[in-house]
């Protein structure tokens, strides 16, 4: 129990939480090069919103970014975040697409794949686990931590037992909203350690201001791995600083191996890069403000920063608190789904629509209807019957089609992609097209004024993800 390992999430979740995943490729590579020398257990660099954002906002190939990251990280394992059967998209994909994506991610440099399902529905991660193991990756299964009448400690312990039986190599407590409190962290880690020998990784956002105490108690309970970011990208909707954890671990007798000079060098670089985004206005100061009410709202860090940004762009920021108050009400109506992608976008967008329309459930995203029909898996608790009736009317809800019956789409997508490109399409291009058909064909960048970054030319939004543009991630 003496040693504790640290992961660095700066260029994935720190970037996603504070910069809405807009960090430019050049800055990502610089940071990875510096962080690689510190001595982390792993660098989380890919997956989550980075795939979509690379295509949609940066006009970059996410695959090429991954390859460049792999070249830059000569000493450290690379990890990514995978949404189970949703991959890095917002709906279920067929097993052929799932396996192709996982195989290609591992071939291009990913060592550890953290896989989760937004509903903690094990049917939605079992195929991912199988393919990760088949292709030689380390499979870390994550529980989407949340609080509700049905999400008890026993509930999470049973989930982890199932994950271990599936073949997980390690377990992550994924507290995406920062709502895990210190004693609950201690108790949950202890409970998990009593039923499995798999390493336990704790992930918690600092939104509510509790994470220092949470990580202290988790390490006291025997947590094996802790998620951190470099300090200029820490705090608020992001994560705890690695520098803070090093000192905390030392004080409780948990050994952490790291290169102090390399950490200082990484800090100096990260500080300059953070200042660049502060000066451009992309690093949102409001995202750094501690918000204890998040314990009630349960909004994840990346979602919160994007909600702020997009309400501001729509000149509706004055209704921010109204939307936050509506989110837990919608979540309760929907059967208490954990607020993590894609459910966080769906619940958040429904809350925005309820507020701006002045009438609850007057406007309904198609994705909410799909959810109520079981298209994303089984809800943790029953959906409110009156809300179900209001949204679906007298429709008889049929059992959703099993994932195993989803038809492969790769060959058809490859043909379409090649018609658009006028040449043979690579596997990675076809996979990008399947998940982001409107953005997969990269456009020439415009000429940038001196001292400015070139702005990518982006096509129209993909109808499959139309809802998430209110709250992107």
């Amino acid at each position: 129990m003496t040693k504790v390992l640290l992961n660095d999430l700066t260029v994935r979740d720190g970037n996603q939480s504070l910069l809405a995943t807009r960090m430019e490729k050049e800055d990502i590579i610089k940071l990875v090069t510096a962080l690689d020398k510190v001595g982390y257990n792993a660098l989380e660099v890919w997956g989550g919103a980075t795939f979509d954002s690379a295509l949609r906002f940066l006009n970059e190939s996410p695959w090429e970014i991954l390859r460049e990251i792999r070249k830059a990280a000569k000493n450290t394992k690379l990890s990514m975040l995978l949404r189970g059967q949703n991959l890095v998209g917002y709906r279920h994909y067929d097993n052929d697409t799932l396996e192709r994506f996982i195989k290609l991610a591992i071939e291009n440099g990913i060592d550890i794949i953290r896989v989760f399902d937004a509903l903690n529905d094990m049917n939605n991660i079992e195929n991912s686990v199988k393919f990760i193991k088949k292709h030689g990756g380390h499979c870390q299964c994550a529980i989407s931590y949340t609080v509700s009448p049905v999400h008890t400690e026993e509930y999470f312990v049973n989930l982890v037992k199932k994950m271990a039986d599936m073949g997980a190599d390690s377990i992550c407590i994924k507290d995406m909203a920062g709502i895990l409190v210190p004693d609950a962290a201690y108790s949950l880690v202890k409970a998990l350690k009593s039923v499995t020998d798999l390493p336990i990784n704790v992930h918690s956002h600092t939104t509510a201001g509790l994470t220092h105490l949470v990580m202290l108690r988790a390490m006291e309970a025997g947590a094996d791995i802790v998620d951190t970011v470099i300090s200029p990208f820490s705090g608020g909707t992001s994560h705890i600083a690695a520098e803070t954890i090093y000192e905390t671990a030392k004080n409780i007798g948990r050994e952490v191996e790291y290169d102090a000079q390399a950490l200082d060098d990484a800090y100096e670089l990260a500080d300059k890069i953070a200042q660049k985004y502060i000066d451009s206005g992309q690093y949102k100061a409001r995202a750094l403000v501690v918000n204890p009410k998040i314990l009630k709202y349960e909004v994840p860090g990346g979602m919160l920063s994007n909600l702020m940004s997009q309400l501001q762009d729509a000149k509706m920021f004055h209704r921010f608190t109204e939307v936050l108050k509506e989110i837990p009400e919608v979540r309760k109506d929907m059967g208490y789904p954990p607020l993590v992608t894609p459910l966080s976008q769906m619940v958040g967008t429904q809350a925005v629509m309820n507020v701006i329309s002045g009438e609850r459930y007057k406007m309904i995203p198609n994705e909410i209807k799909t959810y109520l029909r079981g298209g994303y898996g089984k809800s943790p608790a029953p959906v409110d019957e009156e809300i179900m009736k209001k949204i679906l009317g007298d429709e008889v809800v049929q059992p959703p089609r099993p994932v195993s019956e989803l038809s492969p789409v790769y060959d058809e997508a490859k043909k379409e992609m090649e018609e658009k490109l006028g040449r043979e399409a690579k596997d990675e291009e076809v996979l990008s097209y399947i998940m982001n058909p409107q953005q997969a064909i990269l456009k020439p960048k415009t000429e940038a004024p001196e001292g400015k970054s070139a702005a990518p030319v982006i096509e129209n939004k993909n109808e499959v993800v139309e809802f998430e543009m209110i709250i992107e991630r």
Side-chain angles (χ1 to χ4, degrees):
M1 176 179 163
T2 303
K3 183 178 289 187
V4 62
L5 303 176
L6 269 60
N7 293 334
D8 178 85
L9 282 59
T10 303
V11 302
R12 206 290 294 175
D13 212 1
N15 173 21
Q16 183 169 324
S17 297
L18 296 180
L19 301 183
T21 330
R22 303 297 200 274
M23 188 183 291
E24 296 173 2
K25 181 175 69 174
E26 292 76 10
D27 295 327
I28 290 172
I29 302 305
K30 288 177 185 176
L31 277 171
V32 167
T33 302
L35 294 166
D36 177 55
K37 299 171 185 175
V38 175
Y40 289 104
N41 171 63
L43 304 178
E44 186 185 80
V45 297
W46 211 60
T50 63
F51 193 94
D52 178 284
S53 291
L55 294 168
R56 187 183 300 275
F57 301 111
L58 304 180
N59 197 38
E60 300 276 5
S61 163
W63 300 99
E64 183 59 30
I65 291 175
L66 174 57
R67 284 190 288 272
E68 292 193 32
I69 289 173
R70 180 70 279 174
K71 290 177 184 176
K74 304 181 187 303
N75 308 296
T76 317
K77 290 176 289 186
L78 299 182
S79 70
M80 70 164 291
L81 184 66
L82 191 80
R83 302 171 190 145
Q85 206 72 37
N86 286 183
L87 286 172
V88 288
Y90 303 91
R91 60 181 175 84
H92 284 354
Y93 296 93
D94 63 90
N95 280 335
D96 176 65
T97 298
L98 180 68
E99 181 172 8
R100 287 175 184 272
F101 185 96
I102 288 170
K103 179 175 181 289
L104 199 57
I106 292 171
E107 288 176 349
N108 278 276
I110 292 296
D111 301 291
I112 301 167
I113 298 182
R114 176 179 292 173
V115 58
F116 75 97
D117 177 65
L119 292 172
N120 288 314
D121 187 336
M122 295 298 95
N123 293 323
N124 291 337
I125 73 165
E126 63 180 350
N127 293 313
S128 298
V129 175
K130 178 174 67 176
F131 296 140
I132 293 167
K133 302 285 285 184
K134 176 181 176 180
H135 295 289
H138 174 111
C139 180
Q140 183 176 90
C141 288
I143 57 175
S144 296
Y145 183 82
T146 190
V147 176
S148 82
V150 298
H151 291 96
T152 62
E153 185 175 281
E154 181 183 10
Y155 169 93
F156 290 121
V157 168
N158 288 333
L159 276 183
V160 168
K161 288 179 180 178
K162 292 176 184 177
M163 290 170 172
D165 289 342
M166 283 182 181
D169 295 304
S170 60
I171 300 296
C172 177
I173 301 170
K174 180 176 167 60
D175 174 26
M176 56 280 177
I179 57 173
L180 184 61
V181 297
D183 284 350
Y186 183 90
S187 180
L188 181 55
V189 171
K190 278 287 190 184
L192 297 185
K193 298 290 281 186
S194 73
V195 298
T196 181
D197 293 328
L198 296 175
I200 305 298
N201 189 155
V202 182
H203 169 105
S204 182
H205 288 254
T206 46
T207 317
L210 290 171
T211 310
H212 191 173
L213 295 174
V214 166
M215 293 306 190
L216 170 67
R217 295 292 279 150
M219 288 190 290
E220 287 177 338
D224 302 282
I225 311 168
V226 171
D227 283 355
T228 68
V229 294
I230 194 74
S231 56
F233 288 90
S234 68
T237 56
S238 183
H239 291 267
I240 194 164
E243 297 93 326
T244 302
I245 290 295
Y246 286 133
E247 294 302 321
T248 303
K250 187 191 306 180
N251 287 340
I252 60 171
R254 297 296 303 271
E255 179 188 354
V256 182
E257 294 180 359
Y258 71 102
D259 185 314
Q261 184 58 55
L263 182 65
D264 286 345
D265 293 343
Y267 167 82
E268 294 296 336
L269 174 64
D271 192 51
K272 290 184 177 69
I273 291 174
Q275 189 61 52
K276 167 185 169 180
Y277 292 100
I278 291 170
D279 292 343
S280 71
Q282 290 173 285
Y283 196 128
K284 303 295 184 185
R286 181 66 184 265
L288 293 174
V289 177
V290 170
N291 186 353
K293 287 187 178 294
I294 218 67
L295 296 171
K296 176 181 179 181
Y297 304 144
E298 301 193 26
V299 180
M303 174 181 168
L304 190 63
S305 59
N306 277 285
L307 174 58
M308 292 176 186
S309 178
Q310 293 191 25
L311 285 177
Q312 189 172 37
D313 290 346
K315 302 189 185 310
M316 292 195 298
F317 194 82
H318 61 288
R319 310 201 73 176
F320 176 63
T321 301
E322 289 179 72
V323 172
L324 285 183
K325 289 179 178 179
E326 178 64 9
I327 286 172
E329 298 302 318
V330 173
R331 179 173 177 253
K332 178 181 177 182
D333 293 342
M334 296 294 135
Y336 295 106
L339 292 182
V340 65
T341 302
L343 270 300
S344 53
Q345 285 76 25
M346 293 156 59
V347 170
T349 298
Q350 185 64 68
V352 170
M353 289 182 173
N354 288 355
V355 168
I356 64 176
S357 70
E359 179 183 334
R360 302 188 80 230
Y361 302 105
K362 180 180 181 180
M363 299 186 293
I364 313 292
N366 287 331
E367 291 73 19
I368 288 288
K369 295 178 182 178
T370 300
Y371 168 75
L372 295 180
R373 295 176 182 126
Y376 288 91
K378 184 179 179 181
S379 62
V383 175
D384 185 281
E385 291 184 6
E386 290 186 14
I387 299 301
M388 178 83 85
K389 177 79 172 175
K390 182 170 184 176
I391 294 175
L392 296 183
D394 295 325
E395 178 181 331
V396 177
V397 177
Q398 301 292 334
R401 187 180 178 188
V403 170
S404 60
E405 295 181 11
L406 293 178
S407 300
V409 298
Y410 183 88
D411 290 341
E412 181 181 351
K414 181 177 174 66
K415 182 180 178 181
E416 291 179 8
M417 186 67 163
E418 290 179 343
E419 289 175 355
K420 293 176 182 291
L421 291 173
R423 60 168 172 80
E424 185 176 355
K426 301 175 184 176
D427 281 358
E428 65 190 52
E429 292 174 320
V430 178
L431 291 169
S432 295
Y433 181 74
I434 289 171
M435 284 174 281
N436 300 78
Q438 297 297 328
Q439 291 81 32
I441 300 177
L442 300 176
K443 298 298 178 182
K445 293 184 179 181
T446 59
E447 289 297 321
E450 187 174 351
K452 298 286 185 178
S453 298
V457 180
I458 302 295
E459 285 193 27
N460 293 332
K461 309 295 185 289
N462 171 16
E463 70 279 4
V464 172
V465 291
E466 62 180 5
F467 74 92
E468 106 269 9
M469 295 315 293
I470 293 176
I471 310 167
E472 290 158 20
R473 309 286 163 249

